[in-house]
Amino acid sequence: MLKGTGVSAGIGIGKALLIEEHSLEYTPVTITEPQAEKERFNDAVKTFCENTKKQADALRISAGDKEAEIMLGHISLIEDPFLTGEVEKLIEGGQCAEAALEQMCDMFISIFSAAEDDLTRQRAADVRDVKAGMLGVLLGIEDVKIGDAPKGSVIVVRELTPSMIAEIKKENIAGIIAETGSTTSHSAILARVLEIPAVMSVDDAMLSIRGGDTVICDGSAGVVIVSPVEEELKEYEAKRERFVREKAELDKFRGKPTVSADGIRYELVCNIGKPDDAAKAVDNDGEGVGLFRTEFLFMDKTSVPTEDEQFDAYKKAALILKEKPLIIRTLDIGGDKEIPYLGLEKEDNPFMGFRAIRYCLKYRSLFKTQLRAILRASAFGNISIMFPLITCVEEVRAGKLLVDEIMEELRAEGIAFDEGIKVGIMVETAAAAVIADILAKESDFFSIGTNDLTGYTMACDRGNGNVAYLYSVMQPSVLRMIKRTIECAAREGIPVGMCGEAAADPLMTPLLISFGLTEFSVSAPSVLRLRKNIASWTKERADEVAAEAMRLETQAEIKEYLSSVIG
């Protein structure tokens, strides 16, 4: 048995097809006619873009318009004036096109790979895909033809790229296994859209699996079984049938309200990182967006996005949602989110340092630009503003004063905006939870970020293996922080949501129902499963479970108890 990361749920059983990548090695040469070499480079760019456009068209048919945008993003990357300009400068300095391209791509790969958050790191894979495609064109090497895979194939590859996925004939592929990759990579996203079971980060898969081997690919559990015995085949064939039945059962909840067994209505919304993700929320039957992580708009640029650029992004998301709620979190940088051009100084402990609302309140011009863009976009939908990493009431008041100041400016300029726009906060620090009664008087709503709340409350970094055992939302201290926050919000009559990973955890559902959570904000693929889960609980039964859980003294006891109750 091989283990990896399940990135696309389901069970795939078939014959292994190893995809060997062509060598892209070359011998760098010194250029004496830079103009001719620049023309060769630009011709290669044109050919690459034509090939990628065809891949995008194929992906549009097999997966949809939004997924095709991933491939079109590769075109935008190679046509970026900064990248092409720097490549041409290197060519003028005597480098061949291959070497110049590789140097610039490797620079971006290094920057993205060094980031601590997975979403930024996955962009390195996109750059590697573009680099490989461009080198293939320059060297006259044909792409790997994954589209020729026979029916019942389980693809095994070192790194699955979006350009490979674009060639896939969905009906022929039983599963995908890759040595690299993560749940947030574009390839993983595409595998989920195509509903192909996939396991990534499988060490030495290309060495451990031979072409033609029978392989079981469990994309739900992140497990790969090579040459299974008859009993294993029967077991996983039964699992595959069960998965198909459960998926059909979930589809029954599409288009239905999110209601508990005793009729209590909840809001079930999605977390997004860019405007196009709002369409994924709608497609997955989300009731709106509970968290728009705006930092990704800044990460996708080489300079601060202008007010109009931000306005267009927020407006686009609002129009896609068609009056469904859209909560936009203001810029949350620092910690594990670095944006080089903003010039954040290196800190010994960045999670405790100059980040999020603290940065924005100091750099008021940048903050004001973002708030103006959000307010302008509010004329086109149901938008709310949310401040991250609040630790004291002064931060909330300072942010609200700036919002009021901008409103006055917009009125004077005759620019429309929502006069009744709601302003809320993220409760993701122990400090905010402790003074939730005070903060509730200053806020229109709360959203609990359990990822940071757990880390800050337990004083542990989940990325540090020595203390990761402490990182659990089911720690009694963290559960008490959540319960108190919700109770304080209820006393002031404001809604409270949760946008951390715990919102989608079925073990947490009865506790959150009992505590009085009003909104669950989760990843788009989690919507229907959570709606089904909520529908199975009554408030009375949830209260019984929560009462027992809160009497327990350790996170292990709480988790064991909840697991036994939910089965």
Side-chain angles (χ1 to χ4, degrees):
M1 178 186 291
L2 305 176
K3 292 189 176 180
T5 301
V7 301
S8 181
I11 308 293
I13 303 174
K15 298 293 184 181
L17 177 65
L18 274 61
I19 303 297
E20 301 283 355
E21 300 173 20
H22 297 303
S23 172
L24 295 174
E25 292 184 3
Y26 63 92
T27 301
V29 295
T30 301
I31 296 302
T32 57
E33 297 183 13
Q35 187 57 40
E37 189 68 2
K38 284 193 290 185
E39 289 176 6
R40 187 170 80 91
F41 168 71
N42 288 317
D43 286 343
V45 170
K46 183 179 178 181
T47 300
F48 173 85
C49 291
E50 289 171 352
N51 294 342
T52 304
K53 177 66 166 56
K54 291 177 183 176
Q55 292 173 334
D57 291 341
L59 203 53
R60 184 173 287 107
I61 294 170
S62 62
D65 290 341
K66 299 185 299 299
E67 287 63 39
E69 289 294 324
I70 291 174
M71 295 309 303
L72 295 179
H74 288 190
I75 294 176
S76 298
L77 197 157
I78 196 60
E79 288 184 335
D80 181 88
F82 174 76
L83 175 63
T84 56
E86 291 300 308
V87 169
E88 290 189 351
K89 286 180 185 176
L90 292 172
I91 290 173
E92 289 169 0
Q95 291 195 33
C96 63
E98 291 88 347
L101 170 80
E102 189 162 31
Q103 180 175 327
M104 288 307 302
C105 286
D106 286 349
M107 181 191 76
F108 282 110
I109 290 168
S110 177
I111 291 171
F112 293 146
S113 297
E116 293 187 28
D117 69 287
D118 200 40
L119 283 171
T120 303
R121 285 200 302 272
Q122 70 92 8
R123 294 171 65 200
D126 290 337
V127 179
R128 281 195 295 271
D129 198 7
V130 170
K131 180 178 99 170
M134 276 292 297
L135 285 175
V137 174
L138 287 165
L139 296 170
I141 297 171
E142 290 189 12
D143 292 335
V144 174
K145 294 298 182 184
I146 202 169
D148 296 334
K151 193 172 183 63
S153 295
V154 174
I155 298 298
V156 185
V157 65
R158 191 189 70 78
E159 179 176 30
L160 185 74
T161 64
S163 57
M164 288 181 186
I165 287 245
E167 302 287 342
I168 277 179
K169 294 176 182 174
K170 175 184 172 181
E171 63 274 14
N172 289 352
I173 307 302
I176 296 170
I177 300 165
E179 291 186 345
T180 63
S182 67
T183 55
T184 56
S185 69
H186 279 154
S187 296
I189 292 168
L190 292 172
R192 288 194 290 271
V193 170
L194 293 172
E195 297 183 335
I196 299 174
V199 182
M200 294 184 175
S201 294
V202 181
D203 291 341
D204 297 326
M206 297 286 285
L207 294 175
S208 304
I209 303 171
R210 293 173 300 178
D213 283 347
T214 297
V215 178
I216 295 171
C217 172
D218 185 343
S220 301
V223 167
V224 173
I225 300 175
V226 185
S227 301
V229 297
E230 186 175 348
E231 290 77 7
E232 289 173 320
L233 272 176
K234 288 181 179 178
E235 176 190 350
Y236 276 90
E237 284 168 354
K239 283 185 177 182
R240 181 171 59 185
E241 291 174 7
R242 188 163 59 248
F243 177 83
V244 172
R245 287 197 305 270
E246 288 175 353
K247 186 177 182 302
E249 185 69 23
L250 287 181
D251 284 340
K252 295 177 183 178
F253 287 85
R254 186 174 296 277
K256 302 290 179 62
T258 304
V259 184
S260 63
D262 51 351
I264 300 174
R265 181 79 161 85
Y266 295 91
E267 194 166 52
L268 181 49
V269 291
C270 298
N271 304 325
I272 68 172
K274 54 188 177 183
D276 289 338
D277 290 344
K280 295 177 185 175
V282 173
D283 291 347
N284 283 273
D285 213 33
E287 297 163 15
V289 167
L291 171 63
F292 185 160
R293 300 181 177 97
T294 59
E295 55 269 19
F296 296 114
L297 297 178
F298 289 70
M299 289 177 176
D300 283 338
K301 304 282 290 181
T302 55
S303 60
V304 176
T306 66
E307 180 182 324
D308 283 342
E309 287 173 332
Q310 292 187 62
F311 164 70
D312 288 340
Y314 307 143
K315 176 184 173 183
K316 181 177 183 180
L319 291 175
I320 289 171
L321 292 171
K322 297 178 180 177
E323 294 304 318
K324 291 181 178 180
L326 170 61
I327 297 177
I328 299 178
R329 183 175 70 185
T330 57
L331 182 60
D332 183 7
I333 57 163
D336 60 350
K337 304 186 196 81
E338 292 188 19
I339 302 176
Y341 62 79
L342 289 181
L344 279 171
E345 294 182 6
K346 289 289 183 183
E347 297 177 300
D348 291 336
N349 192 343
F351 281 96
M352 300 287 185
F354 188 49
R355 56 171 296 210
I357 193 68
R358 302 167 182 181
Y359 179 92
C360 289
L361 288 175
K362 179 173 181 179
Y363 292 98
R364 287 170 59 89
S365 176
L366 180 145
F367 195 22
K368 188 173 178 179
T369 296
Q370 181 174 40
L371 291 173
R372 274 183 63 95
I374 295 172
L375 283 167
R376 287 171 56 197
S378 71
F380 298 89
N382 182 10
I383 289 177
S384 300
I385 299 170
M386 182 162 66
F387 300 140
L389 201 77
I390 295 298
T391 56
C392 59
V393 73
E394 293 91 337
E395 292 167 336
V396 186
R397 290 171 178 166
K400 289 170 63 180
L401 278 174
L402 190 54
V403 171
D404 290 341
E405 178 185 314
I406 296 168
M407 284 181 168
E408 285 298 324
E409 292 177 3
L410 294 176
R411 289 188 193 103
E413 296 169 30
I415 297 175
F417 64 92
D418 178 8
E419 292 277 359
I421 193 169
K422 300 287 193 295
V423 179
I425 67 165
M426 290 279 291
V427 177
E428 53 189 332
T429 65
V434 169
I435 61 166
D437 55 329
I438 298 172
L439 296 174
K441 293 179 172 65
E442 296 282 346
S443 308
D444 292 321
F445 62 90
F446 284 165
S447 185
I448 302 172
T450 53
N451 299 349
D452 272 348
L453 181 60
T454 301
Y456 285 124
T457 300
M458 296 305 299
C460 70
D461 175 6
R462 62 175 164 174
N464 183 332
N466 292 321
V467 296
Y469 70 96
L470 293 169
Y471 186 91
S472 171
V473 73
M474 292 180 197
Q475 290 283 0
S477 55
V478 180
L479 291 178
R480 280 159 175 73
M481 291 287 186
I482 293 170
K483 187 171 186 286
R484 170 177 171 74
T485 298
I486 296 171
E487 289 172 345
C488 290
R491 282 198 291 270
E492 292 299 325
I494 65 170
V496 55
M498 179 177 286
C499 57
E501 291 177 9
D505 187 344
L507 298 184
M508 286 292 293
T509 303
L511 302 186
L512 299 177
I513 288 175
S514 176
F515 294 167
L517 193 76
T518 56
E519 177 206 83
F520 295 76
S521 191
V522 299
S523 66
S526 299
V527 168
L528 294 180
R529 191 172 299 278
L530 180 55
R531 182 172 294 149
K532 179 177 183 287
N533 189 24
I534 290 171
S536 68
W537 288 96
T538 64
K539 178 69 161 58
E540 181 180 7
R541 177 58 180 148
D543 285 343
E544 292 172 356
V545 171
E548 177 60 29
M550 297 301 283
R551 279 196 289 268
L552 301 175
E553 297 177 352
T554 70
Q555 69 92 14
E557 291 172 347
I558 292 170
K559 185 173 182 179
E560 183 180 359
Y561 167 67
L562 292 174
S563 297
S564 68
V565 168
I566 294 170

